[in-house]
Amino acid sequence: EFQTGNWYATYSYNANAASPSWKFLNPYTIFGSGFCCDQVTLYDAEWDRQFWLLQMSGTLVLANAASTNLASWCYYNIDATWFGQPKTTTIDYNDVAVTKNYVYIASNLYPVKGGSFAGIVRIPILQMINCGTVGFSSFADGTWFTYKPVQGATNVMYWGSNWGTNNGKSFRVFSWAESSSSISWNTYTIDAFNFEYRNSGQNCGSTDGKITSWCNYADSRTLGGYLANGMLGFSFNATQGSGFAFPYIRMVYFNPATNKYMGHAQLFGSWAAFQYGTFAPNANGDIGGAFAFGGGTGSSDYYPGTGYLINDDFSPSQPWQEAYEVPGGGNTCTYNGILRWGDFLTTRPDYPAGYAWAATGYSIQGGDCGTRGAYSAPHSVVFEIGRASCRERV
């Protein structure tokens, strides 16, 4: 098992044992100087390879290692020229996904002259794991923001964005076949929702004011994506209103074989806000996910925490089943003067079997952020269908 947070990385060869042992890696030194944040990791079972993406000062590092040797990494330094942009372009908000033969990096790009792009880079896995010179292809677009590549792709990589034209009413799905150098896309009219922008009136706090609005830094960029049983699913935040008392998670579905929009669903509560949904398929094509929640009405208060859920025998209209919950113990802090809970969570299949899921989460315990004794508690939770309880790795 390999797990990262914003500023740390740790691995274990016996994570499922009663008393697992974990070893820490220092991302500030292992790949040279300049480490910043925004780490993402992904295990590729087909190649038995762990991929590790890190944001450095002005560049990215994409590293890979055999699952049996997570202390030894082969890595590549990636700057904005890989995305077809000037080297001085800032790279931010990164993600990684794989098909059978390629690894894909998606990032937001901010040129010095202003404006923003979204970009994706495709790199052959075989070249990477041999630690040799790699060839790559890329695509960048200045009209749609924040690409979300899907988990579960095989011969075709799909990614989506809801931030471009008619925000809150449209969605674009891109596709890139392994056998092709061409990228195609379809833009869909979707069921309307209240698009969420940063610090624009969303309220994830409790009605009595005890729980502060922990999602003020959030927005509606696409956060989750997967391909399972021939269906594409994407998730993103939506703000309150139009019948929803709190901000919630909207999910949209597409059939890539027919290029049809298949409708939407949502995770919501009348008692609290749900945000930051992330989802992934297991080896059966069932969907597992993680999300942040918090708020409260009347005399009930819920500090922000993390929930985990399952949708087996997947269909867009089937109800979700909550598998586990990590309650919070304090309010969040501010970042640049805005209340902020985080950027994203991650869900992955739990290998070697691939039928359970491993997902991240976190909560503040011991009091409000910044008070004496308060601390941020990361969580790694493994959950699966048919179990009465889940395994939590803290």
Side-chain angles (χ1 to χ4, degrees), residues 124-342:
I125 293 176
L126 182 60
Q127 294 177 359
M128 284 197 64
I129 65 176
N130 287 331
C131 299
T133 301
V134 297
F136 62 89
S137 304
S138 66
F139 174 78
D141 178 19
T143 59
W144 290 81
F145 183 62
T146 305
Y147 291 160
K148 187 65 180 183
V150 301
Q151 304 300 317
T154 53
N155 298 315
V156 180
M157 173 51 67
Y158 298 93
W159 64 94
S161 173
N162 66 356
W163 197 321
T165 303
N166 294 325
N167 289 358
K169 298 179 180 179
S170 64
F171 198 97
R172 177 169 286 188
V173 177
F174 299 83
S175 62
W176 195 352
E178 283 198 337
S179 59
S180 176
S181 60
S182 299
I183 294 166
S184 60
W185 57 81
N186 287 287
T187 305
Y188 300 89
T189 298
I190 62 174
D191 300 309
F193 68 97
N194 291 340
F195 202 91
E196 186 173 273
Y197 296 95
R198 180 175 296 170
N199 201 32
S200 61
Q202 63 266 49
N203 187 0
C204 290
S206 60
T207 55
D208 63 6
K210 182 177 180 180
I211 310 299
T212 57
S213 182
W214 49 274
C215 67
N216 285 9
Y217 210 84
D219 57 38
S220 283
R221 71 186 67 189
T222 308
L223 298 177
Y226 58 84
L227 174 65
N229 297 322
M231 190 76 69
L232 288 168
F234 295 96
S235 62
F236 41 85
N237 299 328
T239 197
Q240 72 273 4
S242 301
F244 296 94
F246 290 93
Y248 63 99
I249 297 166
R250 173 64 65 95
M251 296 172 286
V252 291
Y253 305 101
F254 305 91
N255 185 329
T258 61
N259 292 325
K260 289 185 177 180
Y261 170 54
M262 303 303 292
H264 77 276
Q266 49 266 328
L267 296 173
F268 69 98
S270 60
W271 51 276
F274 292 9
Q275 298 273 270
Y276 297 113
T278 173
F279 303 93
N282 67 2
N284 277 336
D286 306 314
I287 310 302
F291 63 96
F293 72 92
T297 59
S299 60
S300 298
D301 298 297
Y302 304 92
Y303 288 109
T306 310
Y308 305 88
L309 41 74
I310 292 169
N311 188 339
D312 62 335
D313 300 322
F314 170 70
S315 69
S317 60
Q318 181 175 342
W320 292 77
Q321 176 184 355
E322 186 170 15
Y324 193 64
E325 187 177 286
V326 178
N331 281 314
T332 189
C333 287
T334 60
Y335 179 82
N336 289 335
I338 303 173
L339 288 165
R340 180 174 184 174
W341 185 241

Side-chain angles (χ1 to χ4, degrees), residues 6-229:
N6 233 18
W7 301 293
Y8 72 90
T10 183
Y11 68 93
S12 173
Y13 296 126
N14 65 342
N16 292 327
S19 299
S21 57
W22 291 86
K23 296 183 179 180
F24 283 88
L25 296 174
N26 187 352
Y28 285 93
T29 59
I30 193 170
F31 302 117
S33 62
F35 170 69
C36 164
C37 46
D38 279 11
Q39 301 182 81
V40 189
T41 187
L42 171 67
Y43 175 69
D44 185 355
E46 186 149 340
W47 293 88
D48 187 30
R49 216 69 187 176
Q50 189 77 40
F51 291 101
W52 183 10
L53 182 65
L54 309 91
Q55 185 162 311
M56 310 296 280
S57 177
T59 64
L60 303 177
V61 161
L62 179 60
N64 72 93
S67 64
T68 54
N69 190 7
L70 294 173
S72 179
W73 297 84
C74 168
Y75 69 95
Y76 298 85
N77 293 300
I78 298 171
D79 61 32
T81 63
W82 288 48
F83 296 89
Q85 302 299 308
K87 191 173 183 178
T88 55
T89 300
T90 298
I91 308 173
D92 190 29
Y93 205 83
N94 317 296
D95 201 8
V96 63
V98 296
T99 53
K100 286 184 176 181
N101 296 294
Y102 292 93
V103 60
Y104 301 78
I105 302 169
S107 296
N108 288 337
L109 308 162
Y110 300 93
V112 172
K113 64 182 180 181
S116 61
F117 287 77
I120 194 161
V121 171
R122 182 173 79 174
I123 308 169
I125 293 176
L126 182 60
Q127 294 177 359
M128 284 197 64
I129 65 176
N130 287 331
C131 299
T133 301
V134 297
F136 62 89
S137 304
S138 66
F139 174 78
D141 178 19
T143 59
W144 290 81
F145 183 62
T146 305
Y147 291 160
K148 187 65 180 183
V150 301
Q151 304 300 317
T154 53
N155 298 315
V156 180
M157 173 51 67
Y158 298 93
W159 64 94
S161 173
N162 66 356
W163 197 321
T165 303
N166 294 325
N167 289 358
K169 298 179 180 179
S170 64
F171 198 97
R172 177 169 286 188
V173 177
F174 299 83
S175 62
W176 195 352
E178 283 198 337
S179 59
S180 176
S181 60
S182 299
I183 294 166
S184 60
W185 57 81
N186 287 287
T187 305
Y188 300 89
T189 298
I190 62 174
D191 300 309
F193 68 97
N194 291 340
F195 202 91
E196 186 173 273
Y197 296 95
R198 180 175 296 170
N199 201 32
S200 61
Q202 63 266 49
N203 187 0
C204 290
S206 60
T207 55
D208 63 6
K210 182 177 180 180
I211 310 299
T212 57
S213 182
W214 49 274
C215 67
N216 285 9
Y217 210 84
D219 57 38
S220 283
R221 71 186 67 189
T222 308
L223 298 177
Y226 58 84
L227 174 65
N229 297 322

